[in-house]
Amino acid sequence: MTPDTIDQVSIDDLRRAGGGGLSFKEAQHIHQLIKQAVSKAKAEAGGGQAWAKEVWRKVVSSRVLKPNHPHALHQLVYYSVYAQWDASIHGPPLYWFPSLQDSKLTNMGRIMETHGPKLLGASYKDPIASFNLFRDFTVHHPEVYWSIMLKELAVTFRESPKCILDTTGGTWLPGSVLNIAECCLLPSSHPRKEDDSCAIVWRDEGDDDSDVNRMTLKQLREQVMLVANALQRTFRKGDAIAIDMPMTVNAVIIYLAIVLAGFVVVSIADSFAAKEIATRLRVSKAKAIFTQDFILRGGRKFPLYSRVVEASPDKAIVLPVFGSDIGIQLREQDISWKDFLAHDNQQPRPNRFTPAYLPIDSAINILFSSGTTGEPKAIPWTQLSPIRCSSEALAHINVGVGDVYCWPTNLGWVMGPILLFSCFLTGATLALYHGSPLGHGFGKFVQDAGVTVLGTVPSLVKTWKNTKCMEGLDWTKIKSFASTGEASNVDDDLWLSSKSYYKPVLECCGGTELASCYIIGSPLQPQAFGAFSTPSMTTGVVILDEHGVPYPDDKTCVGEVGLLPVYLGATDRLLNADHEDVYFKGMPTFKGMRLRRHGDILKRTVGGYLVVQGRADDTMNLGGIKTSSVEIERVCDRADESILETAAVSVAPPDGGPELLVIFVVLKEGFDQQPGKLKMVFSKAIQTNLNPLFKVNSVKIVPEFPRTASNKLLRRVLRDQIQHELSVRSRM
């Protein structure tokens, strides 16, 4: 029988949860510390439930719960401590607490200690007590914050901006000229980057027992210049050039070379089907694409070049997954990586390159974000975008010189470019694993590379926890985790945080079009699992009621989020859609400004924590990838002859975690089908035509769909039905 509260946990309970690996002496020590913490916390709290927070703080600070202890032991203590916690009164249960001493050593704490007294006057106390006050100041005076932040990042202008913000036109850093890739590659005094600084550390899958590979800043710069020279010989300045390959060292070099030479990167995820690749090539008007012959994952080779060829690019430059030679036959117009880099032997090998200096609002990268119309929105990143995302890494994730930053991702997703710039503009080392992040090999790389900041997506953490593939590894060098892409599961994050003596898992939620997060965690605030502790620096966030009226900032509420439009790094145009219609049309005004649409439904809890409750429209978030009901339905409607129509909805499980995709089906008259068979049919169709990462959770066959009087499909009713069923099932 599981104890109801921490008071009832016995030494035997602790030993049982320890799975036989916990000695009587260890269990006795943990039990004694818990008893002392409970007694002291209850005496100081004077009743109520507030003591639970102090008990957990004491348990964590004492480090009696070890990373190698079974997860069941961590679960027993955490859930028993907070067993009677009422979140409606006290807010979400907290698991991590900043110390005043450590807070002043963080990037943001140091900035606040330097500038806080001058900007806030006598109101400034310290980085923890004054965090909200300082953040509010950045919302109302963003030009002051960005003048500070530009000095913190490795950003060098060829022509300096006339001002930080031209308020007449809402233009950021007007008149400035630079090349943001050059900023990544040059040494700097602050942040301190030298030629012999380690820029990238990596390992190939299968080489788990080998030393990690390292590349210095100088070596990286030389490789980028080599590729930039080859690009300049082949293409015209301004051409769009796609990358569709895993995020390897070569992919990073290619990305930086494209930007350095004045071309535009077109980001395409290596998981896309040929149809999706073709759409992105067409919309971006890409002149060529860099890709690989194969993808190596989990010891298996998966064809990539053949999929790219099916999308009919004008030209492909093909890298080998192994060695230096391509092991497949190329089309006539395509070229191998080796031949692309080849230089006339009669001329000296180029080791210098003059960057293309461009206005700051010039596009450097075209990324894609699925809209609700079925075609992905083409989002141009300008040179402002890297400044925005790297500043957030510095201020909120506390990334900087001396850090090794790892985040399994791809240049086709927004986290790829964010990770790249967040390392090279803050002076951190970029850590890359050439292989699958699902197994022990990746975890050993994290250990051996000395990763200090590890980014994840919740589904990845769930796999690590359930397969126990990270057992026996030492992740205690990690000072913080970060998580994005989908809703986090509390128990999965409990497991993750425990692997480094309960370091914070900083939740991040934003968008490709923002080049950043609009809500996030902070090492200057206590953290709760699965919740965001603050809007990001300079970001104005309001939560709207059903009439479009903002709730007061101190009120607990649920509603659609609206963003203040003064937002450095956010898009001001789209390549294939009306930017005004997509992000501003129909949004209410606030303090004389038209709010920017993001589409999330937010819950503000007691204590000011934020939880994402889903989407305001029918956009889904499947495995961290946003897509639409319309896209899913178009594929499913054609998947089987028995289908009359389908309706796709996604719901969050009651205990948190990634959204589940459910397909409702109306069959044609005279047909009979089984949900299990249709699930397999739909899964195959979706993975072939949209994305192999999308998974169908269940299929529901119904006689008809609920509709409005004007015959519009009410997906909301279907979604509510599934949520009710899941809720009932979870209580059984």
Side-chain angles (χ1 to χ4, degrees):
M1 182 176 177
T2 303
D4 291 330
T5 67
I6 194 66
D7 308 70
Q8 299 171 347
V9 172
S10 67
I11 294 175
D12 287 341
D13 292 327
L14 293 170
R15 294 198 70 191
R16 275 193 296 271
L22 196 68
S23 68
F24 180 83
K25 188 174 181 180
E26 283 181 291
Q28 188 180 44
H29 177 59
I30 296 172
H31 187 259
Q32 184 63 29
L33 184 137
I34 289 174
K35 281 182 61 178
Q36 292 173 354
V38 169
S39 177
K40 184 176 180 181
K42 283 188 173 182
E44 293 176 350
Q49 302 169 357
W51 60 269
K53 179 176 65 176
E54 297 308 316
V55 171
W56 180 253
R57 188 204 297 258
K58 179 67 174 176
V59 169
V60 170
S61 64
S62 68
R63 292 196 166 194
V64 291
L65 292 178
K66 309 294 185 186
N68 62 347
H69 282 155
H71 184 52
L73 180 61
H74 293 272
Q75 289 175 310
L76 172 64
V77 178
Y78 175 79
Y79 293 121
S80 297
V81 165
Y82 283 115
Q84 296 181 336
W85 186 263
D86 188 340
S88 66
I89 297 174
H90 301 288
L94 304 176
Y95 72 94
W96 183 83
F97 309 89
S99 72
L100 183 58
Q101 180 179 351
D102 290 343
S103 74
K104 295 180 179 181
L105 301 177
T106 65
N107 296 327
M108 200 64 229
R110 173 178 50 78
I111 290 170
M112 288 178 62
E113 286 286 275
T114 301
H115 301 281
K118 179 181 177 182
L119 298 177
L120 302 179
S123 299
Y124 181 78
K125 304 301 180 188
D126 60 66
I128 297 176
S130 302
F131 177 83
N132 287 329
L133 190 63
F134 188 87
R135 201 207 72 83
D136 288 346
F137 177 89
T138 72
V139 174
H140 296 102
H141 304 281
E143 70 286 352
V144 176
Y145 177 79
W146 288 114
S147 67
I148 295 170
M149 194 54 62
L150 286 171
K151 295 182 178 69
E152 295 290 328
L153 300 171
V155 176
T156 303
F157 294 101
R158 189 73 170 182
E159 296 180 25
S160 299
K162 297 174 183 175
C163 59
I164 299 296
L165 174 62
D166 179 357
T167 55
T168 59
T171 305
W172 291 99
L173 308 179
S176 60
V177 174
L178 76 161
N179 186 292
I180 199 68
E182 181 188 44
C183 297
C184 293
L185 297 167
L186 291 180
S188 66
S189 57
H190 185 78
R192 190 165 187 80
K193 293 195 300 176
E194 299 175 336
D195 272 346
D196 61 355
S197 297
C198 184
I200 304 177
V201 58
W202 79 97
R203 176 183 280 163
D204 294 330
E205 184 177 276
D207 292 345
D208 298 350
D209 295 325
S210 302
D211 291 340
V212 295
N213 304 287
R214 300 181 186 277
M215 180 178 286
T216 66
L217 183 64
K218 182 181 180 181
Q219 291 169 331
L220 174 62
R221 185 168 66 249
E222 289 174 345
Q223 290 297 308
V224 170
M225 288 191 297
L226 181 66
V227 177
N229 274 294
L231 287 166
Q232 197 172 60
R233 293 194 302 267
T234 311
F235 302 101
R236 294 182 178 180
K237 190 170 293 186
D239 281 351
I241 302 172
I243 301 176
D244 185 353
M245 56 189 292
M247 193 166 173
T248 62
V249 174
N250 280 331
V252 170
I253 290 169
I254 292 165
Y255 184 102
L256 290 170
I258 292 173
V259 177
L260 189 72
F263 305 110
V264 180
V265 178
V266 179
S267 293
I268 302 178
D270 62 5
S271 61
F272 277 132
K275 180 181 176 183
E276 293 298 306
I277 298 171
T279 297
R280 285 153 177 79
L281 293 175
R282 172 180 55 80
V283 171
S284 65
K285 301 179 181 178
K287 301 297 183 185
I289 184 169
F290 284 89
T291 189
Q292 281 184 186
D293 50 3
F294 298 96
I295 296 174
L296 181 65
R297 284 285 187 273
R300 298 172 60 194
K301 288 193 335 183
F302 299 91
L304 179 57
Y305 172 69
S306 59
R307 193 162 12 113
V308 168
V309 167
E310 195 178 336
S312 302
D314 291 348
K315 183 183 187 69
I317 299 99
V318 187
L319 287 77
V321 70
F322 294 119
S324 58
D325 295 318
I326 300 295
I328 53 175
Q329 185 69 37
L330 301 183
R331 297 182 309 172
E332 185 177 349
Q333 68 265 43
D334 298 338
I335 186 173
S336 71
W337 173 245
K338 183 178 179 180
D339 290 340
F340 177 73
L341 295 180
H343 191 65
D344 189 342
N345 291 331
Q346 301 301 314
Q347 299 183 27
R349 191 173 182 84
N351 59 3
R352 299 184 64 82
F353 186 84
T354 302
Y357 297 107
L358 303 168
I360 197 160
D361 61 353
S362 299
I364 60 166
N365 191 181
I366 298 169
L367 294 117
F368 293 86
S369 176
S370 294
T372 56
T373 61
E375 180 167 274
K377 297 188 294 290
I379 298 171
W381 262 29
T382 70
Q383 297 193 94
L384 287 165
S385 306
I387 294 174
R388 178 77 196 203
C389 65
S390 58
S391 73
E392 242 161 53
L394 185 143
H396 285 278
I397 311 298
N398 196 35
V399 174
V401 176
D403 281 318
V404 180
Y405 193 7
C406 181
W407 199 315
T409 184
N410 186 270
L411 289 170
W413 304 121
V414 69
M415 260 320 303
I418 286 178
L419 176 65
L420 184 156
F421 288 116
S422 294
C423 288
F424 298 145
L425 294 180
T426 66
T429 297
L430 171 62
L432 300 172
Y433 184 68
H434 296 178
S436 170
L438 295 174
H440 184 84
F442 172 78
K444 189 171 187 301
F445 167 70
V446 169
Q447 168 190 281
D448 296 349
V451 169
T452 60
V453 181
L454 178 61
T456 67
V457 294
S459 56
L460 193 55
V461 178
K462 187 177 291 291
T463 298
W464 293 340
K465 185 189 80 170
N466 292 343
T467 62
K468 300 182 179 180
C469 63
M470 300 305 174
E471 287 189 356
L473 296 173
D474 182 357
W475 280 8
T476 56
K477 287 185 179 178
I478 295 174
K479 68 178 187 181
S480 65
F481 301 91
S483 180
T484 193
E486 53 197 7
S488 289
N489 178 279
V490 170
D491 193 64
D492 294 343
D493 277 358
L494 176 72
W495 175 89
L496 181 66
S497 180
S498 73
K499 293 302 162 189
S500 189
Y501 286 108
Y502 287 99
K503 296 301 192 299
V505 182
L506 300 168
E507 299 286 342
C508 311
C509 181
T512 306
E513 74 283 358
L514 299 176
S516 63
C517 302
Y518 74 97
I519 51 176
I520 197 168
S522 170
L524 301 181
Q525 295 176 297
Q527 297 299 307
F529 288 126
F532 307 84
S533 61
T534 179
S536 57
M537 289 290 167
T538 75
T539 302
V541 172
V542 296
I543 300 177
L544 307 168
D545 66 17
E546 62 271 23
H547 305 294
V549 177
Y551 288 102
D553 289 344
D554 59 352
K555 182 179 177 62
T556 58
C557 57
V558 177
E560 181 176 355
V561 67
L563 305 179
L564 298 189
V566 182
Y567 199 116
L568 186 146
T571 55
D572 60 5
R573 59 192 183 273
L574 297 170
L575 298 188
N576 60 342
D578 187 306
H579 189 271
E580 182 72 19
D581 284 353
V582 171
Y583 295 115
F584 292 96
K585 186 177 180 180
M587 290 296 286
T589 57
F590 178 71
K591 296 183 178 179
M593 295 177 286
R594 178 73 61 186
L595 292 173
R596 183 183 180 110
R597 178 181 293 108
H598 185 70
D600 285 342
I601 299 294
L602 283 190
K603 175 182 179 180
R604 185 189 291 126
T605 72
V606 172
Y609 289 84
L610 300 161
V611 180
V612 177
Q613 298 278 283
R615 299 288 295 173
D617 51 23
D618 286 314
T619 298
M620 306 178 186
N621 187 328
L622 303 178
I625 303 168
K626 291 179 182 177
T627 187
S628 68
S629 297
V630 174
E631 283 185 298
I632 300 289
E633 290 159 7
R634 282 176 178 167
V635 171
C636 292
D637 285 348
R638 302 191 304 268
D640 191 272
E641 62 176 356
S642 65
I643 305 301
L644 178 64
E645 60 179 340
T646 61
V649 299
S650 64
V651 294
D655 61 345
E659 293 179 21
L660 306 176
L661 173 60
V662 180
I663 310 293
F664 284 84
V665 181
V666 176
L667 298 174
K668 293 177 182 175
E669 189 174 349
F671 281 84
D672 186 23
Q673 275 284 18
Q674 296 301 313
K677 181 181 178 182
L678 286 179
K679 178 181 175 180
M680 290 189 293
V681 170
F682 290 155
S683 294
K684 182 177 180 181
I686 291 169
Q687 290 170 2
T688 300
N689 293 282
L690 291 178
N691 196 303
L693 302 179
F694 293 170
K695 297 177 182 178
V696 178
N697 179 265
S698 61
V699 171
K700 298 281 186 180
I701 298 175
V702 295
E704 62 181 6
F705 293 150
R707 297 185 180 275
T708 65
S710 59
N711 208 39
K712 290 182 179 178
L713 177 60
L714 287 169
R715 294 187 186 87
R716 172 178 49 81
V717 175
L718 298 174
R719 191 179 298 115
D720 290 346
Q721 176 186 327
I722 293 296
Q723 286 178 326
H724 175 71
E725 290 179 11
L726 290 174
S727 178
V728 170
R729 197 179 305 161
S730 70
R731 294 196 297 266
M732 293 176 64

